[in-house]
Amino acid sequence: MADRPEFVVAPTESPAPEADRLKVLEDPGFGVHFTDHMAVVDHTTADGWHNGRVVQYAPIALDPAACVLHYAQEIFEGMKAYRHADGSIWTFRPEKNAARLQRSARRLAMPEVPEEIFLEAIRQLAQIDQAWVPEAAEGSETSLYLRPFQIGTEAFLGVRPSQASQFYVIASPSGPYFPSGVKPVDIWVSRNYHRAGFGGTGFAKCGGNYAASLAAQVEAGEHGCAQVLFLDDREEKWVEELGGMNLFFVFSDGSIVTPPTSGTILEGVTRMSLVELGRDAGHEVTERPISLDEVTTGIADGTITEVFACGTAAVITPVGSFRTEEDTWTVGGEGRSEDLDESYPVTMTLRRTLTDIQYGRAEDTKGWMHRLV
Ligand SMILES: Cc1ncc(COP(=O)(O)O)c(C=O)c1O
């Protein structure tokens, strides 16, 4: 089915009642409500990808010996469908997510979902569940979060790649990541844990990476921080990324630095887009290693004026501080203005530029938007 993927669509006979759906859409939260359907495609070594279908959202029946449950052959993506003012529904650079899922698949010795199947699965799901894509009120950041994922399903306890896989797409209406407005987040610098190692799976979007990050996330929470910063595992010196977002540093001369994605860092679609938008806005944007020492010294002496994190879920989040057991480095100093347009002007401008493209409020001159419905 690789050339013209065909999906058999079996609409559910028991969709959520309209009143229930509208209630969810009033205040969807994040990742807690799901639409009526899901897209599924099977793969076997013998038959390749086949049996594409859209069916009722329902629990998955897996053999207790399924590979994914024991050896974690699981990879996923995170994207959004945005409703534009004319009612049309769009997603952002989906071919980048398709390519990243393929890179993740290669790293985890799983079969690669062809881009056409990936895109068609998303389109089919957005089509049938379009009523679940929230209306975008002026300036709002609601969307339908799309979660493509792939699992090894073969029932076999030997350690080797699964001979059977499934690719799914599920969808979850999501409200703004910051319901009461964008706020700077405080970041815990993880000293006890690493997220990724040289030659490991850091660049892949596999569930195992997130399982490995959770203890550090708990530790961050115990120190009043919403997010964790991971350093490199070899020298424990270089800034890598947060548990679920990439990082950028803005310098007083207007230049911007982000760590290079050389194997241990997830290549964020938001990150690569912001490198381009930053350059378009006249900033010198460099992908180079940046040490924790340079970051903390720069924040303390004012050479680094802004720090922000980015990813599909929160788009761009200003970073308020970095903390360790001993120290706190507050970006912009203790007297930082509460008005983020004043204290984080580059961050907030880039944030608006990107969200305006995503929500169709600005012209998409780069061809980044992909129409789904
Ligand atoms: C570890 C990690 N880094 C970075 C990102 C940002 O990636 P993207 O911009 O593609 O959402 C994510 C989120 O998907 C992530 O989980």
Side-chain angles (χ1 to χ4, degrees), residues 28 215 254 373:
V373 179

Side-chain angles (χ1 to χ4, degrees), residues 12-26 33-37 56 129 131-132 173:
T12 174
E13 285 173 10
S14 51
E18 187 179 6
D20 292 4
R21 175 169 46 77
L22 293 177
K23 192 154 184 292
V24 166
L25 292 179
E26 257 172 43
H33 300 287
F34 297 92
T35 64
D36 292 316
H37 299 88
Q56 178 173 332
D129 282 339
W132 287 92

Side-chain angles (χ1 to χ4, degrees), residues 95 181 257 293 332:
E95 67 290 346
V257 171
D293 193 40

Side-chain angles (χ1 to χ4, degrees), residues 61-318:
L62 282 176
D63 192 292
C67 173
V68 62
L69 300 177
H70 302 270
Y71 309 124
Q73 263 197 320
E74 190 273 351
I75 54 179
F76 67 100
E77 276 302 321
M79 324 161 57
K80 284 177 173 173
Y82 309 90
R83 193 183 287 283
H84 287 186
D86 66 357
S88 57
I89 298 170
W90 301 71
T91 191
F92 182 71
R93 309 187 81 179
E95 67 290 346
K96 297 292 179 197
N97 297 90
R100 188 167 66 189
L101 190 73
Q102 291 179 347
R103 290 198 293 280
S104 299
R106 287 196 288 276
R107 179 62 185 84
L108 271 81
M110 298 178 79
E112 295 173 35
V113 176
E115 181 184 292
E116 330 58 275
I117 292 181
F118 183 94
L119 297 180
E120 183 61 10
I122 284 164
R123 198 189 65 76
Q124 289 280 353
L125 188 61
Q127 176 76 37
I128 197 164
D129 282 339
Q130 55 184 282
W132 287 92
V133 184
E135 296 294 333
E138 182 69 22
S140 90
E141 287 186 11
T142 53
S143 62
L144 183 67
Y145 183 80
L146 300 168
R147 170 52 61 89
F149 65 100
Q150 185 180 335
I151 53 177
T153 54
E154 187 189 1
F156 174 65
L157 291 181
V159 182
R160 61 149 170 75
S162 178
Q163 304 280 305
S165 299
Q166 284 186 314
F167 170 63
Y168 286 84
V169 186
I170 57 172
S172 170
S174 79
Y177 194 84
F178 300 99
S180 51
V182 178
K183 284 203 182 68
V185 293
D186 297 315
I187 309 275
W188 178 249
V189 182
S190 177
R191 293 297 198 174
N192 293 322
Y193 303 103
H194 293 290
R195 176 185 172 277
F198 185 69
T201 56
F203 69 91
K205 203 161 168 66
C206 59
N209 287 345
Y210 297 82
S213 74
L214 296 179
Q217 185 67 40
V218 169
E219 192 181 84
E222 287 165 358
H223 290 86
C225 293
Q227 292 282 338
V228 193
L229 167 67
F230 291 101
L231 302 176
D232 77 290
D233 71 311
R234 285 187 288 182
E235 296 181 75
E236 302 196 311
K237 169 179 176 182
W238 304 103
V239 167
E240 295 211 315
E241 62 176 325
L242 306 187
M245 286 190 263
N246 295 117
L247 266 183
F248 283 75
F249 302 89
V250 182
F251 285 72
S252 53
D253 64 359
S255 62
I256 300 177
V257 171
T258 189
T261 55
S262 44
T264 51
I265 297 179
L266 191 81
E267 202 172 328
V269 178
T270 320
R271 175 190 177 281
M272 69 178 78
S273 308
L274 289 173
V275 166
E276 217 173 307
L277 292 177
R279 287 180 183 146
D280 291 354
H283 298 279
E284 184 192 324
V285 185
T286 315
E287 299 177 58
R288 68 160 170 86
I290 181 163
S291 66
L292 182 64
D293 193 40
E294 181 180 351
V295 169
T296 54
T297 310
I299 291 173
D301 69 15
T303 325
I304 291 177
T305 52
E306 299 175 44
V307 182
F308 63 85
C310 69
T312 297
V315 197
I316 296 181
T317 310

